[in-house]
Amino acid sequence: MTCALHPGIRVSEIFGPTIQGEGVLIGLPTVFVRTGGCDYRCSWCDSLHAVDRRFRHDWEMMSPDAVWQKVIALSGGQPVMVSLSGGNPAIQPLSQLIDRGHGEGYRFALETQGSVSKQWFADLDVLVLSPKPPSSEMTTDWAAFDACLEAAQDKPQMALKLVVFDDDDYAYAKDAAARYPQLPVYLQPGNHTPPRPGDEDAFIDMAGVMRRMEWLVEKVTRDRWFEARVLPQLHVLLWGNRRGV
Ligand code: SF4
């Protein structure tokens, strides 16, 4: 049940456990709570089914308790990392869910582009900030991004994750890393053949993704950017564009 005191969470899908496919928690068994709705519309978004309002009929307004019961069922009641992703999970009321899970020994990671800050960011275990580079056709509001860091108050483990498609994105990534030298930086090549919503197992140009990965490794090493970590999207290598894995 949702009400003013217990606002509902708009959920696109809950799945797992599987492994986290990218960034600072790569390889870690995780249950995913993917929320519906995003204040961005990146040109290469790989989660359009959780962004495009045309798919809102597939989203479900769930109480924090209902979300929690699903997480418990998927994890067999054994504490696991819960990834709050989207869409932009920062626009959902997730505070209660996090408190509930912490009470039972679960940990929570949230990934957001950094456009909306919430006080409860300080309650997270891991906060991954993933500002979107020029190829996304979005514009970063750095003041809003700074507000996310302020809200987190250095309490969660934090990281910057940047998708890089081309030279402009690479320059943007370097600029973002220079702005936030306190944050570890994770770079990943973009998937230029993202899944289309409704196509459960869409074509992926894996050779192209790997070429971009090699290009990125070369670029980082030639540049002597030795603080950056370059990672592929592990789930893409394993399962291509398949959803819910
Ligand atoms: S911020 Fe993320 S979920 Fe939102 S449109 Fe961009 S890539 Fe998609």
Side-chain angles (χ1 to χ4, degrees):
M1 201 172 85
T2 66
C3 63
L5 279 178
H6 302 101
I9 301 168
R10 211 185 302 128
V11 173
S12 165
E13 56 186 345
I14 303 176
F15 63 93
T18 181
I19 50 164
Q20 171 57 257
E22 52 194 55
V24 58
L25 298 174
I26 194 164
L28 188 70
T30 297
V31 167
F32 287 83
V33 176
R34 187 186 297 287
T35 61
C38 189
D39 46 320
Y40 272 26
R41 182 65 191 260
C42 301
S43 62
W44 35 250
C45 178
D46 60 3
S47 309
L48 272 182
H49 61 289
V51 170
D52 193 325
R53 287 187 56 75
R54 276 180 303 162
F55 299 93
R56 67 186 182 281
H57 303 298
D58 297 334
W59 306 343
E60 193 181 342
M61 191 60 89
M62 296 174 75
S63 67
D65 183 60
V67 174
W68 182 244
Q69 293 309 325
K70 187 91 198 266
V71 171
I72 287 277
L74 289 171
S75 60
Q78 193 173 320
V80 68
M81 179 63 77
V82 179
S83 172
L84 304 167
S85 66
N88 184 1
I91 61 178
Q92 299 298 321
L94 296 171
S95 171
Q96 252 195 299
L97 177 69
I98 295 166
D99 285 352
R100 177 83 181 266
H102 276 162
E104 300 191 31
Y106 286 61
R107 300 177 75 228
F108 289 84
L110 178 136
E111 176 170 330
T112 178
Q113 64 266 41
S115 55
V116 176
S117 62
K118 290 285 169 67
Q119 288 312 310
W120 49 260
F121 281 3
D123 300 331
L124 292 162
D125 298 283
V126 183
L127 175 61
V128 177
L129 293 163
S130 183
K132 302 307 176 197
S135 63
S136 70
E137 297 171 18
M138 297 290 114
T139 304
T140 306
D141 176 346
W142 290 111
F145 196 89
D146 287 344
C148 291
L149 277 120
E150 278 160 32
Q153 301 171 45
D154 277 338
K155 288 190 179 158
Q157 179 185 353
M158 287 195 277
L160 265 185
K161 196 187 82 182
L162 293 138
V163 176
V164 179
F165 277 84
D166 54 30
D167 284 326
D168 286 349
D169 288 357
Y170 184 80
Y172 172 94
K174 286 211 93 166
D175 174 61
R179 279 174 185 266
Y180 304 102
Q182 74 276 31
L183 299 181
V185 180
Y186 292 78
L187 304 178
Q188 72 185 38
N191 174 5
H192 57 286
T193 49
R196 290 180 306 278
D199 188 349
E200 292 292 322
D201 206 1
F203 165 79
I204 183 163
D205 175 16
M206 196 65 83
V209 170
M210 294 316 291
R211 269 198 304 280
R212 194 168 275 117
M213 175 80 195
E214 282 174 34
W215 169 80
L216 193 49
V217 169
E218 256 176 53
K219 200 135 173 95
V220 164
T221 50
R222 204 179 319 128
D223 231 9
R224 297 194 166 82
W225 188 5
F226 295 148
E227 296 78 29
R229 291 178 180 81
V230 185
L231 286 175
Q233 290 179 294
L234 195 49
H235 56 289
V236 167
L237 294 187
L238 289 169
W239 298 297
N241 276 332
R242 202 181 316 157
R243 252 179 72 182
V245 284

